[in-house]
Amino acid sequence: MSERLLRQAAPVTVLLTPQGRITGWSEGAARLFGRSPGEAVGTPFTDLLAELPCGPAAAGPLLDALGRAARGRPWTGVLPPDDGDAPDGRANGGAAGTPGRAAEGVTVACEPMTVEGGDVAVALTVTPPWAGGLELLTEAGRRIGSTLELDLTARETVAVTVPRFADACAVYVLERLLADDDGPAPEADGSAVVRRIAVTFADDDPRGWAREFPVNEVIVYPPSTPYARCLATGRMVEFGGDAVQDTLAHRTGRLIDGLLDHVSLLAVPLVARGRPLGFAVFSRKRGRPPFTGADTALAAELAARVATCIDNACLFRREHRTATALKASLVPTAIAAPPGLEIAHRYLPAGSGVGGDWYDVVALPGGRISVVVGDSVGHGVTAAAAMGQLRVAAHTLVGCRFPPAEVLERLDAIAQDLRAAQFATCLCLVCDPANRRCEVASAGHPPPLLALPDGTVRHFAVPHGLPLGVSDPAHPPAYQQVPAAVPPGATLALYTDGLVESRRRSVDEGIARLASALVASQSAELEDTADGVLALLSDQQGRDDIALLLIRPV
């Protein structure tokens, strides 16, 4: 909520003489009117009415109310008053104004007081019409933007505002912001091309309106419409239901019963970081007060909050889409196994965000293969970019036939220069199917598991070197390469920590669960074994990327 609206929202009390001169000035009054006690005390309160929606025209009724209170008759009402609320004796002393006028005027209460020396004074309490808006904006702050999902943010917006603030609400976002590419430039003729991403109506509106105003409909509004003008000028536009009816009739050739009952509408631009994102439309029906100046101020505050949430959601959507596309282009979709080996591989992306898991299998001379599995810390484009650079570098290094330990040393040096990478774990393995011998080195990566035909599982004893990118001259990486053998019929499992790490259990417990899943899923078909492992560990899926490679000599 803006500072100005905050200081206008709360009721304030001032002390006046029966003639309306200020004798006491509260801190709330100083915030509301922007005047210090020294500037206010002794001046006529009627001089300040221009700061309130009631305006100078309320001076006469206010002085009448003060005189009434000075005679011992408290008065509460709305300025400017309805006929039934005039402070000339026709209104009940404790009655408030009608709802219609309360939305347009200022509620005041005049209470008689006796001050030092026996003089009579009047305590005047002013409640601006923005006071109810404070509660609405508080609820909007609590409910809108609970996630970075664009559609959900829009649905939260319409749910908060209908029916509390309006009888109908719709949120529209520029279609170019949702495009899969960088998006075209704005329309040259000033038209607004937008997508309706959320809409809701009053309970007594026809149910068929959901078909007439569907979510995800892309609409082109001509420059002359209130919607396009709202976007072009960046200012709120107030209009009536006839403009909606005319626009719809022009687009579809149909008139909709009941649409003209919405007599007061606001098109409010959604602007964040200086750029237009779309607009929100609020409408009120006959029988409800039309939008006032106080309502437009409230709508502007609400739109500013919604725009920030939508902008964040759009940025997240774009980053997630970019990272997903980048990751998909770098994770191998098919791996060719050399004679003498079977290979099954699986990659499961995180349910939210994109991580930095990666793997590769490279054929080497003599029928050997080199396998690299890694995990760049983080999520999103940053992690995907780091993963992509490390994977390409690893592919090149193993293709040059560097042994696993040297591959990791060179990758560590490369990772030191990557701005995108904080650090990464990695495991490099070279396997010769002819003798089932392997050479393995690890840079902080979870150890490989070997499931034996007798139903037991053991770890490959690989020294746990430093993760890539964290070494320094005082702490060199010093990766060690160790030999290992894969017995006939055994299955070698390489994986990333998404398959074994959990908030509910330690990594060691997760590795033990993976070992049990390997034993329980052993099958003549390696692909079935991979599927079985992931099925048994399905509770691990969704929180982080998961990569799994199974290698079996044949």
Side-chain angles (χ1 to χ4, degrees):
M1 192 177 213
S2 73
E3 181 181 351
R4 175 172 174 78
L5 201 55
L6 272 172
R7 68 179 174 86
Q8 290 180 329
V12 300
T13 300
V14 298
L15 198 63
L16 307 175
T17 68
Q19 295 75 36
R21 285 195 175 272
I22 300 170
T23 59
W25 195 245
S26 66
E27 292 184 4
R31 289 192 298 270
L32 176 61
F33 293 100
R35 299 193 183 189
S36 67
E39 295 170 323
V41 172
T43 62
F45 184 79
T46 52
D47 291 352
L48 305 181
L49 293 177
E51 300 288 332
L52 299 174
C54 56
L62 175 61
L63 291 175
D64 289 343
L66 294 176
R68 177 189 178 94
R71 296 191 296 272
R73 302 177 62 188
W75 183 84
T76 300
V78 177
L79 298 177
D82 283 329
D83 291 340
D85 285 314
D88 58 3
R90 287 177 290 172
N92 187 333
T98 62
R101 296 303 295 178
E104 297 176 351
V106 176
T107 300
V108 299
C110 300
E111 294 284 345
M113 294 184 63
T114 301
V115 296
E116 186 178 355
D119 293 335
V120 176
V122 178
L124 175 70
T125 300
V126 180
T127 304
W130 296 280
L134 179 60
E135 295 180 3
L136 177 62
L137 289 180
T138 299
E139 183 177 355
R142 181 175 57 85
R143 295 179 57 185
I144 298 175
S146 61
T147 70
L148 288 173
E149 294 183 26
L150 179 61
D151 294 343
L152 179 58
T153 296
R155 293 197 299 272
E156 291 167 342
T157 300
V158 300
V160 166
T161 55
V162 177
R164 187 169 183 172
F165 178 70
D167 293 310
C169 177
V171 177
Y172 297 80
V173 173
L174 288 168
E175 179 65 12
R176 67 175 184 268
L177 297 181
L178 306 178
D180 287 337
D181 53 18
D182 290 336
E187 301 300 316
D189 64 353
S191 298
V193 182
V194 293
R195 181 187 295 267
R196 185 187 300 112
I197 59 175
V199 63
T200 192
F201 303 98
D203 289 340
D204 57 347
D205 279 327
R207 292 177 179 255
W209 280 15
R211 294 190 301 272
E212 302 292 343
F213 300 94
V215 172
N216 286 324
E217 180 184 21
V218 178
I219 311 155
V220 180
Y221 286 118
S224 59
T225 59
Y227 317 104
R229 287 190 284 119
C230 160
L231 274 176
T233 63
R235 287 183 282 192
M236 199 177 309
V237 177
E238 188 170 359
F239 56 103
D242 53 344
V244 183
Q245 186 77 285
D246 292 347
T247 301
L248 192 66
H250 177 76
R251 287 179 49 234
T252 66
R254 300 191 309 275
L255 298 177
I256 297 181
D257 292 338
L259 199 56
L260 293 178
D261 289 341
H262 290 257
V263 294
S264 180
L265 293 93
L266 288 176
V268 188
L270 300 175
V271 180
R273 297 178 177 91
R275 63 179 187 137
L277 308 175
F279 54 85
V281 178
F282 305 99
S283 72
R284 287 181 178 173
K285 302 174 69 173
R286 286 189 177 90
R288 185 170 185 169
F291 292 109
T292 65
D295 293 322
T296 58
L298 182 58
E301 291 289 334
L302 183 63
R305 180 180 297 278
V306 172
T308 299
C309 295
I310 287 179
D311 189 43
N312 290 338
C314 285
L315 291 174
F316 174 78
R317 183 177 184 271
R318 178 177 290 273
E319 178 179 309
H320 186 270
R321 187 174 61 230
T322 302
T324 301
L326 177 61
K327 189 72 176 282
S329 68
L330 293 171
V331 173
T333 57
I335 289 177
L341 287 180
E342 286 184 276
I343 300 177
H345 60 102
R346 299 289 186 272
Y347 168 71
L348 300 177
S352 59
V354 178
D357 292 12
W358 49 281
Y359 59 90
D360 203 357
V361 177
V362 180
L364 299 176
R368 297 178 304 145
I369 61 167
S370 181
V371 181
V372 184
V373 181
D375 184 0
S376 301
V377 171
H379 294 277
V381 174
T382 299
M387 174 272 292
Q389 294 177 81
L390 290 175
R391 178 179 178 271
V392 170
H395 186 100
T396 302
L397 291 171
V398 298
C400 292
R401 300 182 231 177
F402 290 112
E406 189 171 351
V407 168
L408 296 183
E409 289 175 4
R410 292 174 180 266
L411 281 178
D412 177 70
I414 292 171
Q416 301 282 348
D417 296 329
L418 293 182
R419 291 184 180 180
Q422 297 179 14
F423 65 90
T425 66
C426 185
L427 186 139
C428 183
L429 174 147
V430 174
C431 181
D432 187 347
N435 57 18
R436 302 185 303 279
R437 302 292 298 177
C438 300
E439 296 286 336
V440 191
S442 174
H445 201 78
L449 295 181
L450 188 63
L452 301 171
D454 63 2
T456 62
V457 178
R458 60 180 174 86
H459 294 188
F460 263 22
V462 184
H464 209 65
L466 288 175
L468 304 177
V470 301
S471 65
D472 57 43
H475 304 87
Y479 300 114
Q480 298 182 39
Q481 180 175 310
V482 296
V486 181
T491 300
L492 179 63
L494 311 178
Y495 54 94
T496 56
D497 60 6
L499 196 57
V500 295
E501 210 168 41
S502 170
R503 294 179 181 177
R504 296 177 297 175
R505 61 182 66 91
S506 68
V507 173
D508 289 340
E509 292 174 321
I511 293 175
R513 291 182 74 225
L514 173 58
S516 298
L518 281 168
V519 172
S521 303
Q522 283 287 6
S523 170
E525 297 294 332
L526 197 59
E527 295 290 338
D528 292 341
T529 301
D531 290 338
V533 168
L534 295 181
L536 290 173
L537 302 179
S538 59
D539 60 328
Q540 291 289 134
Q541 299 173 24
R543 289 186 294 270
D544 194 3
D545 285 6
I546 290 175
L548 174 66
L549 283 88
L550 301 181
I551 301 172
R552 179 187 293 169
V554 292

